[in-house]
């Protein structure tokens, strides 16, 4: 889209005063017939002029963007059109009773009982969030169902952005323009991890015609408080526009595997999915993908995939037909104040490595549990999400510097990026673990850390049998928690693989680690769950006396 020839973007500061003063009501109270307006009325008229100037910007953006907005109809086989969230996670299982001659029975603890419940994986939406419901379902005819959403042309040759959940499972998609033009395509490229899809129209269908298009902005420049306009076809009201402001950045909702949403309050409803979110320069800053809603409609919170992410995804889809991502091969967590204190590093030092995948690229580079990753490829990282974003865009096979803090000292490793497609086999290490309770048995020795509220038992053969662990498993079993340990999220039945700076591979290691604990200082524990899942560091801060 050509750069606008007029100037806009900054709205006069007096607009804020207009809103604060009562806006429209103040304007209506001014009498145009008064020959000598009072000072207050003069100020109100000035505010009204500022409001009209903002309206003019909205009108200009609508005129530029609306021709490039499309209504999307996706034809889907009914089997594929079923709600992917219909199969929710279920929990069930029986817990045999276990006793202890000394009266210490962790298996009677409700938390310990829940630990042994069998979990059947599924896709469950967080309460109050909707994405599949944020596109409309049209009439079903035979075995075909039509889903409806929105989109926008980003290249005059016929490239159209929308949501994956709008077109998922579709054999063909029809797009309609405001001027009545309609095109159908079966060239559908998707990235389910971010809920982004790219449609490519057939050049023969366009017959040399250049479509109106909208450019992608640098969403990193978008700030909280910026005006944004949402375009789309909500509730079958095709080619609508609503206005709001950016109300948050880097949001997550649990709707997609990789999330970095812009939150805004421009009204979006079912049918808005895939529509563009644009700034006052008429450029796309995001693709609307979800709403937070109690009833299924607009509740004041919408989410959009940032345009900077969308651009990289669209380039990957055009070049490869899918998105090629690199992966690091670690489980990581935020470095909170308590954990940073226990490690002796600044709270903003970087990202804590909780576990390293066997034979993954990080392990090959020399990364270890307890390392704090400071930067990758020269880019500083402050949290797991920022690190993941740097990692995924690395060139596969390229070697880059990886800066870490280990035992208080900084060092640089060389990291070679590997393709995420190779990751699933390496991530299976913990997935095979499943707890099985067989017999009552004895708990055995218990090491108690009273100040930190933690009781641990060596991982004996009896415990291995109870928890269904093989001989390769290491650590100490959590048999009771209270106080600091409970507040840190520890539960009976978990394994502590590392206590302080000491790894626990035997009963002797456990005794030495317990003896080294300082009762008046935070204690760092690396905790895992025998059912599977990630290890994570937990910091146990003793209560002040």
């Amino acid at each position: 889209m050509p750069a606008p020839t007029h100037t806009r973007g900054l709205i006069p500061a007096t607009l804020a005063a207009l809103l604060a003063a009562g806006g429209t009501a103040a304007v209506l109270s001014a009498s145009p017939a008064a020959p000598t307006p009072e000072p207050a009325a003069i100020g109100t008229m000035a505010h009204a002029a500022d409001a009209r100037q903002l309206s003019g910007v909205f009108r200009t953006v609508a005129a530029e963007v609306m021709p490039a907005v499309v209504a999307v109809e996706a034809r889907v086989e009914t089997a594929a059109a079923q709600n992917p969230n219909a199969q929710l996670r279920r929990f069930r299982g029986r817990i045999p009773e276990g006793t202890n001659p000394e009266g210490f029975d962790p298996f009677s603890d409700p938390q310990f009982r829940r630990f042994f419940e069998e979990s059947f994986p599924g896709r469950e939406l967080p309460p109050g969030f909707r994405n599949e419901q944020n596109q409309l379902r049209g009439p079903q005819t035979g075995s075909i169902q039509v889903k409806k959403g929105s989109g926008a042309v980003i290249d005059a040759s016929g490239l159209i952005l929308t949501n994956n959940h709008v077109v998922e499972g579709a054999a063909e998609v029809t797009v309609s323009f405001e001027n009545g033009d309609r095109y159908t395509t079966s060239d559908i490229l998707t990235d389910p991890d971010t809920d982004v899809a790219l449609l490519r129209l057939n050049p023969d269908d366009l017959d040399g015609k250049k479509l109106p298009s909208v450019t992608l902005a640098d969403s990193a420049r978008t700030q909280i408080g910026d005006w944004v306009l949402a375009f789309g076809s909500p509730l079958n009201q095709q080619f609508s526009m609503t206005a709001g402001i950016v109300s948050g950045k880097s949001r997550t909702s649990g709707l997609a595997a990789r999330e970095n949403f812009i939150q805004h309050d421009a009204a979006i409803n079912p049918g808005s999915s895939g529509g563009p979110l644009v700034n006052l320069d008429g450029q796309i800053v995001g693709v609307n993908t979800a709403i937070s809603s109690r009833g299924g409609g607009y509740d004041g919170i919408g989410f959009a995939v940032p345009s900077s992410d969308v651009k990289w995804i669209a380039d990957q889809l055009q070049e490869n037909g899918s998105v090629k991502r690199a992966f690091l091969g670690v489980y990581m967590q935020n470095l909170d104040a308590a954990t940073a204190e226990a490690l002796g590093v600044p709270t903003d030092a970087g990202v804590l490595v909780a576990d390293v995948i066997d034979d993954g690229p990080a392990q090959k580079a020399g990364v270890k549990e307890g390392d704090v990753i400071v930067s990758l490829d020269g880019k500083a990282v402050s949290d797991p999400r920022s690190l993941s974003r740097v990692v995924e865009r690395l060139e596969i096979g390229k070697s880059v510097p990886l800066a870490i803090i280990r035992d208080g000292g900084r060092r640089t490793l060389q990291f070679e990026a590997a393709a995420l497609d190779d990751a699933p086999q390496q991530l299976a290490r913990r997935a095979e673990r499943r707890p099985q309770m067989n017999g009552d048995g004895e708990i055995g020795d218990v090491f108690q850390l009273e100040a930190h509220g933690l009781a641990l038992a060596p991982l004996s053969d009896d415990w291995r049998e109870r928890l269904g662990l093989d001989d390769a498993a290491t650590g100490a079993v959590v048999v009771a928690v209270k106080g600091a340990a409970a507040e840190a999220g520890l539960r009976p039945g978990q394994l502590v693989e590392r206590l302080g700076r000491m790894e626990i591979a035997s009963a002797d290691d456990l005794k030495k680690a317990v003896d080294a604990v300082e009762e008046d200082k935070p204690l760092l524990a690396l905790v895992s769950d025998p059912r599977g899942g990630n290890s994570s560091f937990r910091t146990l801060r003793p209560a002040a006396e």
Side-chain angles (χ1 to χ4, degrees), residues 140-157:
Q140 181 172 323
T141 305
S143 62
I144 300 294
Q145 185 178 46
V146 179
K147 296 192 295 182
K148 295 183 178 182
S150 306
V153 179
I154 59 170
D155 188 276
S157 64

Side-chain angles (χ1 to χ4, degrees), residues 107-187:
F107 307 113
S108 65
D109 189 306
Q111 294 173 344
F112 199 48
R113 287 175 172 270
R114 285 197 294 272
F115 164 75
F116 284 106
E117 291 176 344
E118 185 177 2
S119 171
F120 294 88
R123 184 70 175 165
E124 183 175 4
L125 284 175
F129 284 92
R130 298 171 181 268
N131 68 348
E132 182 68 15
Q133 296 89 334
N134 198 27
Q135 109 277 311
L136 295 177
R137 294 183 179 276
Q140 181 172 323
T141 305
S143 62
I144 300 294
Q145 185 178 46
V146 179
K147 296 192 295 182
K148 295 183 178 182
S150 306
V153 179
I154 59 170
D155 188 276
S157 64
L159 295 179
I160 298 173
L161 278 177
T162 187
N163 280 150
N164 171 71
H165 76 261
V166 172
V167 300
E168 187 174 23
E172 63 179 18
V173 175
T174 299
V175 298
S176 303
F177 288 80
E178 184 186 28
N179 65 3
D181 289 349
R182 290 170 59 89
Y183 302 94
T184 298
T185 181
S186 58
D187 193 349

Side-chain angles (χ1 to χ4, degrees), residues 17-281:
L18 167 66
L19 298 176
T24 303
V27 174
L28 293 178
S29 67
S31 173
T36 308
E38 295 295 328
I42 295 175
T44 300
M45 294 172 63
H47 297 331
D50 291 335
R52 285 192 290 272
Q53 181 181 351
L54 178 60
S55 294
V57 174
F58 288 170
R59 288 195 297 270
T60 302
V61 174
E64 293 179 352
V65 173
M66 198 68 80
V69 175
V70 297
V72 178
E73 294 183 355
R75 299 175 60 83
V76 183
E77 296 285 343
T78 51
Q82 294 176 354
N83 187 346
N85 304 308
Q87 188 165 358
L88 302 181
R89 185 174 292 119
R90 299 284 189 268
F91 297 97
R92 45 181 143 162
R94 295 188 300 275
I95 314 301
E97 295 294 336
T99 60
N100 181 283
E102 299 178 0
F104 182 57
D105 181 14
F107 307 113
S108 65
D109 189 306
Q111 294 173 344
F112 199 48
R113 287 175 172 270
R114 285 197 294 272
F115 164 75
F116 284 106
E117 291 176 344
E118 185 177 2
S119 171
F120 294 88
R123 184 70 175 165
E124 183 175 4
L125 284 175
F129 284 92
R130 298 171 181 268
N131 68 348
E132 182 68 15
Q133 296 89 334
N134 198 27
Q135 109 277 311
L136 295 177
R137 294 183 179 276
Q140 181 172 323
T141 305
S143 62
I144 300 294
Q145 185 178 46
V146 179
K147 296 192 295 182
K148 295 183 178 182
S150 306
V153 179
I154 59 170
D155 188 276
S157 64
L159 295 179
I160 298 173
L161 278 177
T162 187
N163 280 150
N164 171 71
H165 76 261
V166 172
V167 300
E168 187 174 23
E172 63 179 18
V173 175
T174 299
V175 298
S176 303
F177 288 80
E178 184 186 28
N179 65 3
D181 289 349
R182 290 170 59 89
Y183 302 94
T184 298
T185 181
S186 58
D187 193 349
I188 306 167
L189 304 171
T190 65
D191 181 43
D193 281 355
T194 56
D195 198 25
V196 172
L198 186 66
L199 311 177
R200 295 192 291 200
L201 301 185
N202 190 326
D204 293 339
D205 293 341
L206 297 177
D207 194 24
K209 181 179 181 180
K210 297 296 183 182
L211 296 176
S213 62
V214 189
T215 60
L216 293 170
D218 179 4
S219 56
R221 293 185 168 184
T222 302
Q223 301 298 318
I224 295 175
D226 286 354
W227 280 101
V228 285
L229 307 173
F231 291 81
S233 301
L235 303 173
N236 280 322
Q237 303 304 310
Q238 293 189 343
F239 310 111
S240 298
M241 181 188 83
T242 56
I245 61 168
V246 173
S247 47
K249 296 181 66 176
S250 298
R251 300 298 203 207
T252 60
S253 65
L255 296 173
R258 294 175 181 272
E259 299 178 331
N260 181 38
F261 292 141
I262 293 173
Q263 177 188 327
H264 65 89
D265 67 355
I268 56 176
N269 282 286
S272 296
S273 288
L277 184 72
V278 307
N279 58 23
L280 295 187
D281 291 320

Side-chain angles (χ1 to χ4, degrees), residues 95-101 104-108 112-113 116 436-444 460-467:
I95 314 301
E97 295 294 336
T99 60
N100 181 283
F104 182 57
D105 181 14
F107 307 113
S108 65
F112 199 48
R113 287 175 172 270
F116 284 106
Q436 298 292 331
M437 282 285 289
N438 299 311
D440 293 338
E442 297 285 343
I443 289 179
S460 62
D461 290 341
D462 184 64
W463 274 110
R464 292 177 192 278
E465 184 178 2
R466 285 173 177 272
L467 300 179

Side-chain angles (χ1 to χ4, degrees), residues 258 327-331 355-361 419-433 532-534:
R258 294 175 181 272
F327 83 109
L328 186 57
V330 301
Y331 295 109
D355 200 1
V356 182
I357 302 302
D358 291 341
D359 201 34
L420 183 59
D421 293 344
D422 299 332
Q425 294 77 20
Q426 299 176 16
L427 295 175
R429 177 167 66 94
R430 296 185 180 275
E432 297 174 357
R433 294 181 179 179
N534 304 348

